[in-house]
Amino acid sequence: METPKLHIAGREIVPHPPKMKVWREFLAFFDADKEGLSLEDFLDEHVSLIVLGFGREEVTKESVEEYVDVADIVPLTRALFRWIQALTFSKLVNLPNGDTEKEA
């Protein structure tokens, strides 16, 4: 899976490897019922997830709002979540299975 990228003030920025807090926030958002959210609140939530997901000081609410096209906000958030999931699941596949450990 390709690492998501942001371009802010002429710099290409990639996210820090995600921590558990990031996983939980993304999961909670994507599992939540968003029916009652206004469009502005919906987009604000996505911007907050982008800031959290990148985990870099140069990625702020203000910089995302200034440099990221509004049409790219939701796709970028989804790309970040897919990337986080891919990293997580790729590591889980390598964990030893309790049954195979007993056989060895």
Side-chain angles (χ1 to χ4, degrees), residues 23-67:
W23 166 261
R24 287 189 175 133
E25 291 287 331
F26 271 78
L27 197 57
F29 177 78
F30 281 99
D31 282 348
D33 179 14
K34 295 167 209 52
E35 189 174 314
L37 285 178
S38 69
L39 180 57
E40 184 159 347
D41 290 341
F42 179 75
L43 291 173
D44 281 346
E45 290 286 335
H46 277 272
V47 169
S48 295
L49 287 172
I50 290 168
V51 172
L52 179 67
F54 272 83
R56 298 202 173 265
E57 65 182 40
E58 60 268 44
V59 181
T60 63
K61 181 180 189 284
E62 293 77 21
S63 66
V64 171
E65 289 178 351
E66 183 174 342
Y67 290 100

Side-chain angles (χ1 to χ4, degrees), residues 78-94:
R78 288 184 178 150
L80 264 170
F81 191 39
R82 284 192 304 271
W83 174 74
I84 291 165
Q85 288 175 314
L87 285 177
T88 303
F89 294 133
S90 71
K91 301 246 178 173
L92 288 175
V93 167
N94 296 322

